[in-house]
Amino acid sequence: MSMKLMLIILDGMGDRPSEKLGGKTPLEAAQTPNMDFLAKIGISGIMDPIAPGIRAGSDTAHLSILGYDPYEVYTGRGPFEAAGEGLDLKHGDIAFRCNFSTVDEKMNVVDRRAGRIREGTHELAKALDGMEIDGVKVIFKESVEHRAVLVLRGDGLSPKISDADPHDLGPIHKVKALDDSEEAKRTAEIVNEFVKRSYEILKEHPVNLKRMEKGLMPANIVLPRGAGVVPRLESMEKRHNIRAGAIAGVSIVKGVCRLAGMEIIDVKGAKGSADSDFTAKIEAGMDYLKKGDMVLINMKAPDLFGHDGDPEGKKNIIEKIDASMEVLKDALDNTIIAITADHSTPCDVMDHSGDPVPLIIAGKGVRTDDIEVFGERAAAKGGIGRIKGGDLLNILMQLAGLSEKFGA
Ligand code: ZN
Ligand code: ZN
């Protein structure tokens, strides 16, 4: 009889020894009785999310962990953001992340985030969504605050183009082709036209007229960046014959899972932030497994503290997440549980590093080793040894009795 699979990804949890924590990593310094218990009854190891030394992004790491080759399917962040915002994408669509920004009449950016606009972006987005440029359909949707996603749908498009967003104050960038293809040239022209039209439409929009009356920055232009082509990912169901779901607060992880054909489970209180309701996420995951075979749960908070360079905060949030895992003991009878990270975000680096991440796997039938706590240096001595992210799903599927035999 097959078992269920729960894969918990503590985003950016891997770290390096911190002076502020007496030479321990945040995970080592944290009191984590629940994860320690799983380490004790299960097996530990370390994992290179993509390959040794590769500094993985959350998107490329999740792709790798779900068994896809990021070097093959990843051309930019745009498609995953757009899918994470709930847009139905087609293979070949070109997708971008965008900012609502503020420009003066000379097209100089005076505020990249349009005064961190919070209200009215839905109306602004509606004014741009659905337009056509040179036979290409424009799909546009607002995201949180000043962010938005843009999708171009049509023939003869390419993601090999530069950003309109200057990533700084000053003149907006004219989008250029990054190779000699006609497709890239044409796509660059279409995006430049979109940016121009966004200014013409938004500068007069009632939402902006009202903002200016109040002395707020108008969101009078849209600046796309991070172009990528929507890849064709064979769904988890087709590839592994499993029903898989995902719980994540941040759109980029939701987008990867959605493009992999996983069901996105919305959990009230799952916000992708430090005050996210971790218990609600775990419980929703256990609930999903009543019908599904596998669930991936991403908890974003540790990564945020890594980027902030705050080892104390990271240690505290890991403790809080661990406390939410008390209920996992009830699942061990019929579920293989794996806990790991998508990459390391060392507080001393304040960005993702290429260090491997710790991993534990526990459940009925899982071999054990001598490791009794969850931490980077303990895991490095564990029975799993060192694996690549692309191996993880095979290992878990096998333990859950969900994989096919290769050969006779
Ligand atoms: Zn991440
Ligand atoms: Zn990060």
Side-chain angles (χ1 to χ4, degrees):
M1 207 198 70
S2 64
M3 294 175 71
K4 308 287 185 174
L5 272 184
M6 182 183 283
L7 172 55
I8 301 174
I9 297 187
L10 306 184
D11 207 296
M13 178 181 60
D15 212 304
R16 295 177 180 174
S18 167
E19 253 173 55
K20 285 192 192 130
L21 299 174
K24 292 183 173 176
T25 70
L27 176 60
E28 288 167 352
Q31 296 294 319
T32 54
N34 292 308
M35 293 194 284
D36 290 349
F37 170 76
L38 295 173
K40 187 173 174 174
I41 63 162
I43 192 163
S44 297
I46 53 174
M47 178 173 84
D48 295 294
I50 294 176
I54 302 298
R55 297 176 55 211
S58 290
D59 39 18
T60 49
H62 277 79
L63 281 167
S64 178
I65 289 167
L66 289 173
Y68 301 96
D69 179 357
Y71 292 103
E72 197 181 294
V73 299
Y74 187 83
T75 51
R77 181 170 173 173
F80 303 97
E81 289 282 355
E85 290 303 327
L87 292 181
D88 270 317
L89 301 178
K90 287 187 184 157
H91 171 60
D93 287 350
I94 308 293
F96 306 74
R97 312 163 66 200
C98 301
N99 271 10
F100 284 106
S101 302
T102 310
V103 289
D104 62 19
E105 39 320 324
K106 286 181 185 147
M107 292 293 124
N108 285 308
V109 176
V110 291
D111 188 333
R112 266 192 83 224
R113 301 184 178 91
R116 289 217 173 246
I117 184 168
R118 282 168 180 277
E119 275 147 28
T121 52
H122 178 66
E123 286 72 27
L124 295 175
K126 267 195 357 208
L128 304 176
D129 181 40
M131 70 167 80
E132 250 193 55
I133 304 173
D134 192 17
V136 168
K137 190 178 174 198
V138 172
I139 303 163
F140 187 80
K141 187 173 186 279
E142 78 286 0
S143 167
V144 285
E145 296 179 356
H146 56 279
R147 300 181 190 92
V149 290
L150 164 69
V151 175
L152 300 179
R153 179 169 294 164
D155 295 328
L157 298 174
S158 162
K160 300 277 185 210
I161 57 166
S162 63
D163 295 347
D165 184 349
H167 297 267
D168 207 344
L169 302 183
I172 67 166
H173 285 183
K174 197 169 172 289
V175 177
K176 292 189 185 115
L178 296 177
D179 63 20
D180 294 334
S181 70
E182 277 307 309
E183 287 83 1
K185 229 188 332 179
R186 174 164 182 254
T187 312
E189 274 165 23
I190 289 171
V191 177
N192 285 324
E193 177 64 21
F194 169 77
V195 171
K196 193 176 132 223
R197 286 200 206 171
S198 79
Y199 176 70
E200 284 160 6
I201 293 169
L202 295 182
K203 70 173 183 196
E204 315 265 279
H205 195 284
V207 167
N208 279 327
L209 298 179
K210 234 186 243 162
R211 283 180 71 78
M212 287 189 285
E213 255 171 49
K214 287 190 202 157
L216 298 170
M217 289 286 190
N220 60 9
I221 200 163
V222 171
L223 297 176
R225 66 184 190 277
V229 61
V230 175
R232 198 194 306 270
L233 298 185
E234 193 182 30
S235 73
M236 299 282 282
E237 182 163 15
K238 219 169 167 194
R239 190 181 266 199
H240 303 291
N241 197 24
I242 56 170
R243 184 169 174 190
I247 297 168
V250 283
S251 60
I252 193 155
V253 174
K254 273 194 232 177
V256 169
C257 294
R258 199 154 178 269
L259 285 176
M262 297 167 83
E263 293 171 66
I264 304 302
I265 305 141
D266 282 316
V267 178
K268 222 180 144 223
K271 294 183 278 197
S273 60
D275 60 346
S276 208
D277 189 342
F278 304 119
T279 309
K281 283 170 113 164
I282 299 274
E283 281 170 351
M286 289 170 68
D287 201 49
Y288 177 78
L289 288 180
K290 287 179 188 153
K291 49 181 187 175
D293 300 300
M294 170 188 165
V295 68
L296 179 154
I297 304 173
N298 173 286
M299 312 246 200
K300 181 68 180 169
D303 183 57
L304 304 175
F305 287 95
H307 284 287
D308 284 347
D310 178 0
E312 276 287 341
K314 195 167 172 184
K315 172 189 148 262
N316 293 338
I317 205 72
I318 291 171
E319 289 182 346
K320 196 172 157 203
I321 290 172
D322 185 80
S324 75
M325 293 180 179
E326 181 84 43
V327 290
L328 284 182
K329 287 183 182 135
D330 300 336
L332 279 167
D333 262 349
N334 69 343
T335 309
I336 301 292
I337 298 169
I339 304 176
T340 187
D342 55 344
H343 50 77
S344 297
T345 310
C347 295
D348 284 352
V349 179
M350 297 171 80
D351 201 347
H352 305 184
S353 74
D355 301 299
V357 296
L359 162 70
I360 41 177
I361 303 174
K364 251 191 196 155
V366 177
R367 286 182 187 169
T368 190
D369 54 17
D370 297 329
I371 308 303
E372 302 197 333
V373 294
F374 192 33
E376 284 83 348
R377 76 191 76 188
K381 292 185 220 145
I384 299 170
R386 183 168 184 161
I387 62 166
K388 285 189 190 178
D391 299 325
L392 183 62
L393 198 60
N394 286 337
I395 293 171
L396 298 179
M397 297 267 299
Q398 186 277 131
L399 287 169
L402 290 166
S403 53
E404 303 270 323
K405 181 158 61 177
F406 175 49

